Amino acid sequence: KEAIMKVGIIGAGTMGSGIAQAFAQTEGYEVCLCDINEEFAANGKNRIAKGFEKRIAKGKMAQEDADKILAKITTGVKDICTDCDLVVEAALEVMNIKKQTFKELQDICKADCIFATNTSSLSVTEIGAGLDRPVIGMHFFNPAPVMKLVEVNKALQTSEEVVKTVRELTDKICKTAVDV
C-alpha cells in the first residue's frame, strides 16, 4: 500500500479549498486546510461540502464518496502542518503576507517539507528569499478541482529535484503541469 502524503493548504478561500479538494479526492493524500483561524478554515471545508451536496442532489456523486473525501480534510491554523510533506500557500496576493507565512512555516514544518505558492503574479524567487528552503510556484486555475492546468514556476533557488517532485505530484492529482 502506498504511503499517505500529507498536504497542508494555507488559505481556505475559493482557491485554497479548491486545491484542498483536488488533493483530498485523490487516493493517497490527506489534507490540512488552514487559515488564520479555525472558523475560516472550517468555512473552507464547508464550501467543499456544499459543492458535493449539489453533485449528490444531481446524482453525480454518492454521499459515501463525499464523506470519504471530507474525512481526509482536517481544518485548523498552520500549526497543524508539522508533519506535512508539501505545503501549498494560497493566501492573499500580498508579498509581505506570503513571505511572513513561509517564515512562520519553516519553524513549524519538517525540514524536507516542500513549500509551494499558488501565486499567479508575484515573484516566487522573492517569496522564498531568506528562507531555509526554496519555494516553488504551483499555480492552480479556478475552479481548482475542475481545471486541469497547474503552472510550475521554478524560483532561482529551486532545485531540479523539487521541480520534478512537484510535476509528479501534479500528475498524481490528474492535473497537467506546465513550466512557466
Side-chain angles (χ1 to χ4, degrees):
K1 193 178 170 183
E2 199 177 331
I4 297 283
M5 182 172 196
K6 213 161 180 193
V7 181
I9 309 296
I10 309 296
T14 303
M15 284 311 296
S17 57
I19 296 166
Q21 181 184 329
F23 278 103
Q25 66 192 13
T26 306
E27 199 62 45
Y29 293 94
E30 276 180 16
V31 177
C32 295
L33 182 57
C34 306
D35 213 306
I36 55 171
N37 62 47
E38 174 62 53
E39 186 188 352
F40 288 179
N43 288 344
K45 186 172 178 177
N46 290 338
R47 182 181 286 119
I48 298 167
K50 282 190 176 65
F52 288 167
E53 285 168 19
K54 287 178 186 154
R55 290 174 61 194
I56 292 162
K58 292 178 183 170
K60 294 180 191 258
M61 183 181 215
Q63 181 69 54
E64 184 187 356
D65 294 332
D67 293 344
K68 218 180 276 183
I69 294 166
L70 291 167
K72 291 166 67 180
I73 302 171
T74 306
T75 59
V77 294
K78 60 182 158 302
D79 296 2
I80 66 172
C81 293
T82 50
D83 58 346
C84 286
D85 303 295
L86 168 72
V87 169
V88 181
E89 168 276 320
L92 299 172
E93 283 289 290
V94 177
M95 182 59 78
N96 289 346
I97 291 174
K98 293 183 183 296
K99 287 178 79 78
Q100 185 60 36
T101 297
F102 283 116
K103 197 171 183 292
E104 291 168 14
L105 284 167
Q106 72 183 357
D107 296 330
I108 295 167
C109 301
K110 58 188 183 177
D112 63 349
C113 175
I114 295 171
F115 283 177
T117 176
N118 185 56
T119 188
S120 57
S121 60
L122 300 173
S123 164
V124 178
T125 298
E126 188 182 335
I127 292 169
L131 295 176
D132 66 2
R133 70 197 84 184
V135 174
I136 188 166
M138 194 174 187
H139 177 236
F140 289 76
F141 289 81
N142 194 15
V146 179
M147 300 296 277
K148 288 287 184 207
L149 214 58
V150 175
E151 291 176 332
V152 178
N153 190 344
K154 180 184 184 295
L156 292 175
Q157 316 90 313
T158 314
S159 70
E160 283 307 320
E161 185 188 349
V162 169
V163 173
K164 183 174 174 273
T165 302
V166 167
R167 289 183 66 86
E168 286 168 0
L169 289 171
T170 302
D171 204 41
K172 283 182 184 156
I173 61 169
C174 302
K175 303 285 180 199
T176 304
V178 59
D179 292 324
V180 294

